[in-house]
Amino acid sequence: MGKFSRLMKKKYKETNKKSIIIYLILRFLVILSIIFIIIDQVSKLIVINTLSKTKSVEVIKSFFYLTYTNNNGAAFSILTGKRVILIIVTLIVIGILIYYIRKTKVKENINKIALSLVIGGSIGNLIDRIVRGAVVDFLDFKIFGYNYPIFNLADTFIVLGVFLLLISMFRKDKNNDRRHK
């Protein structure tokens, strides 16, 4: 076998191995994202079918309530009434995340989970915007007398995912600093 043939065979094996790794990572991320979407959508269906829009249910006295409301904006009701813009931005963000995952071959489990949380939460709220015209919110906290804006599990997934990505980036920077000393 010639040198060129051996080189091509080696290159093919490396490429095939990378393709399999990318496929497995994507499969894992898709499964996790789907789980987060299902949890979010089931929780919203329960809220829609059991709670009244006019009453809050006190879960923990003077602290945590279940309050069914529709939010036709984004976090903290910003961009209220800008449904089409929010749908487009969400689709762009999801597209960028999927592109990032495919190009970087995410290896760390914390990043896989974090990206799945962000994608799953984003799709959960996207489904609401497309199907219901607004996002269903129901988690209502009153913290030290402050009535925190009502949110949902998809919002929680997104925030938790971003938080995990920040932790991962901080750890990576810390490890790089140690290597360069």
Side-chain angles (χ1 to χ4, degrees):
M1 187 182 287
K3 188 176 183 179
F4 179 74
S5 295
R6 283 192 303 269
L7 184 64
M8 289 306 292
K9 192 174 184 178
K10 183 179 175 185
K11 184 73 172 162
Y12 173 77
K13 282 183 181 178
E14 288 173 10
T15 304
N16 197 27
K17 195 176 193 180
K18 287 178 186 176
S19 296
I20 291 169
I21 290 169
I22 290 170
Y23 169 77
L24 291 174
I25 290 169
L26 286 174
R27 186 174 174 176
F28 178 76
L29 291 171
V30 166
I31 290 168
L32 264 182
S33 295
I34 289 170
I35 289 169
F36 296 134
I37 293 165
I38 291 169
I39 291 169
D40 173 65
Q41 290 299 303
V42 167
S43 70
K44 290 171 180 173
L45 285 173
I46 291 169
V47 166
I48 290 167
N49 291 316
T50 60
L51 292 180
S52 165
K53 283 189 183 182
T54 58
K55 279 201 307 195
S56 287
V57 175
E58 188 174 56
V59 178
I60 300 174
K61 188 171 177 57
S62 301
F63 176 68
F64 175 52
Y65 303 80
L66 294 176
T67 306
Y68 173 25
T69 186
N70 288 313
N71 178 359
N72 58 9
F76 306 104
S77 295
I78 59 173
L79 296 174
T80 298
K82 307 290 184 196
R83 181 174 164 237
V84 174
I85 292 170
L86 291 169
I87 289 171
I88 291 168
V89 168
T90 303
L91 289 170
I92 290 169
V93 167
I94 292 167
I96 289 169
L97 290 175
I98 291 169
Y99 177 81
Y100 171 79
I101 290 165
R102 290 187 65 111
K103 288 297 177 190
T104 62
K105 300 174 208 92
V106 178
K107 293 179 182 101
E108 296 84 17
N109 285 335
I110 190 172
N111 289 341
K112 291 176 191 174
I113 293 167
L115 291 167
S116 296
L117 283 161
V118 173
I119 291 170
S122 298
I123 292 173
N125 282 340
L126 179 65
I127 290 168
D128 282 7
R129 284 193 181 94
I130 292 170
V131 173
R132 297 181 183 97
V135 173
V136 173
D137 287 335
F138 57 93
L139 301 172
D140 187 7
F141 289 88
K142 291 178 176 54
I143 303 170
F144 302 114
Y146 175 70
N147 193 6
Y148 195 79
I150 302 168
F151 58 99
N152 61 44
L153 290 179
D155 299 332
T156 306
F157 296 154
I158 294 167
V159 170
L160 183 58
V162 170
F163 181 71
L164 289 174
L165 286 171
L166 291 172
I167 288 173
S168 176
M169 287 176 10
F170 178 72
R171 282 188 357 197
K172 201 177 284 182
D173 285 346
K174 205 173 186 180
N175 289 338
N176 286 340
D177 289 346
R178 285 186 196 147
R179 282 189 212 132
H180 294 297
K181 285 184 178 182

